[in-house]
Amino acid sequence: MKIALVNLCRIQDFSKTKYYESSLEFLKENDIEFVDYFSGRETPSDLLKGFHEALKNKDIELVWFIQGGSDLIKFLDKIDWDLVKQSNKEYLGLSDFTHFAFKAVALGKICYYGQGLKQIKDYLPTPE
């Protein structure tokens, strides 16, 4: 399974946080295939563009909102919901991801509430 890592929950470049290296290291150590759609993206439009790129990638099965945060509410009216509906993806997130999940489930999408990427080594010691 290939995973898209996206960030719409906090307007920040997660790759500049102290958790970035250890988080991606965990994924690599456990042979979890991923595509990073958040690094180098600091503006709302760039973060949204990364999310939409993930939806268009046919190899991606799961779109993982890497962290929680209230900024996701600001994106709800900017998300291309037709693209969400047409994509054959499942979604994982936490915290204010609930706002996205509510609409996505109404469109027939599968959403999971769970672990974020930040501090994954502290809270999720095995890939299972």
Side-chain angles (χ1 to χ4, degrees), residues 11-51:
I11 298 173
Q12 71 174 153
D13 180 356
F14 183 79
S15 68
K16 293 182 178 179
T17 69
K18 66 181 180 179
Y19 304 105
Y20 174 73
E21 288 184 29
S22 66
S23 298
L24 293 190
E25 182 181 296
F26 174 86
L27 298 176
K28 291 173 185 174
E29 287 172 356
N30 291 286
D31 297 319
I32 298 171
E33 287 187 80
F34 66 91
V35 180
D36 175 349
Y37 288 100
F38 63 80
S39 290
R41 299 174 193 264
E42 297 184 56
T43 67
S45 61
D46 285 342
L47 293 167
L48 185 63
K49 183 179 177 184
F51 174 71

Side-chain angles (χ1 to χ4, degrees), residues 80-124:
D80 184 340
W81 290 103
D82 288 332
L83 190 56
V84 172
K85 185 175 182 178
Q86 294 167 8
S87 72
N88 190 24
K89 315 279 185 244
E90 295 180 359
Y91 301 89
L92 170 65
L94 71 155
S95 186
D96 284 3
F97 164 77
T98 305
H99 300 288
F100 171 87
F102 185 79
K103 172 92 178 195
V105 168
L107 295 173
K109 300 289 123 188
I110 295 172
C111 294
Y112 304 98
Y113 188 89
Q115 174 68 42
L117 185 60
K118 180 178 158 182
Q119 293 178 289
I120 193 165
K121 282 190 160 190
D122 297 330
Y123 299 110
L124 191 66

Side-chain angles (χ1 to χ4, degrees), residues 44 57 65 82:
N57 184 335
F65 290 72
D82 288 332

